[in-house]
Amino acid sequence: MDSAIDWHTARAMLEWQAEMGVDEAILSAPVDRFAAEEEARAKAEAAAAMPKPGQAPVRVAEPKIDPIEDAVKAAKNAADLPALQQAMADYPHCPLKKGARNLVFADGVAGAKVMLIGEAPGRDEDLQGKPFVGRAGQLLDKMLAAIDLSRDTNAYITNVLPWRPPQNRDPKPEEIAMMLPFLQRHIALANPELIVIVGNISCQALMGKRGISRLRGQWAQAEGRPAMPMFHPAYLLRNQAAKRESWSDLLEIKAKLEGLG
Ligand code: URA
């Protein structure tokens, strides 16, 4: 920007950007701050490990940490949902945690017959600490209401990942792998009779398969329970025509719930 720009022009430009919908200050190219932090940490460790003049080199045995093993242990030790939420908050290995404002654990009625599992929090969810509260979440609420479900009375909602990925990028396989033991424990503790798998990332995590257009609408199994994969509501906001298929999937879920009594 021209540094000689006057105050009024600068303000007008800022207002124009806000009108255009700019709501976050980001650069033209992404900065991987985690990588920079990691590099600085590695350099500091290397410097600390350098032998001082006259000192013999000391070999320090690095303790081996397996983030997935740690997650399995922490999840298994959680006896109930509040303990699980605390265990996730204390889990140090997922890099997404550093960039997120809040841990997004769950919303709705724990113990409900239906548990919906989305992908990861977006901006609104990160700010409020609750899943599916942005535009996609509002559509999800309407879809649930159409089959007499609501997070206020009879549905429970969570995500595969509890922290927002930077700039809403897709979660990385290693991030999913380390948080999966927590999700599995979450399902076991909430103990739903059926699961709604919302979106492709969730299919990948829970069924080991992608291809939501092919998978949706057919009952599958996830964590030993009937599971219905569905289009993500964010996809439906962009592809109105796909709402027809989602309506049919919702009716399938309603019928299954009626069959359960
Ligand atoms: N998309 C998701 O998958 N989950 C949320 O909580 C919000 C948007």
Side-chain angles (χ1 to χ4, degrees), residues 77-139:
N77 287 338
D80 53 24
L81 291 169
L84 182 68
Q85 181 168 0
Q86 190 58 52
M88 288 164 78
D90 294 342
Y91 181 72
H93 306 304
C94 183
L96 296 177
K97 181 180 180 178
K98 291 188 206 157
R101 289 183 177 89
N102 279 303
L103 174 119
V104 176
F105 183 67
D107 196 19
V109 180
K113 284 185 184 168
V114 189
M115 180 169 183
L116 291 102
I117 303 178
E119 300 181 347
R123 182 175 179 274
D124 296 309
E125 290 76 20
D126 180 44
L127 283 171
Q128 293 189 38
K130 280 188 185 178
F132 282 104
V133 290
R135 275 187 73 218
Q138 285 156 23
L139 175 57

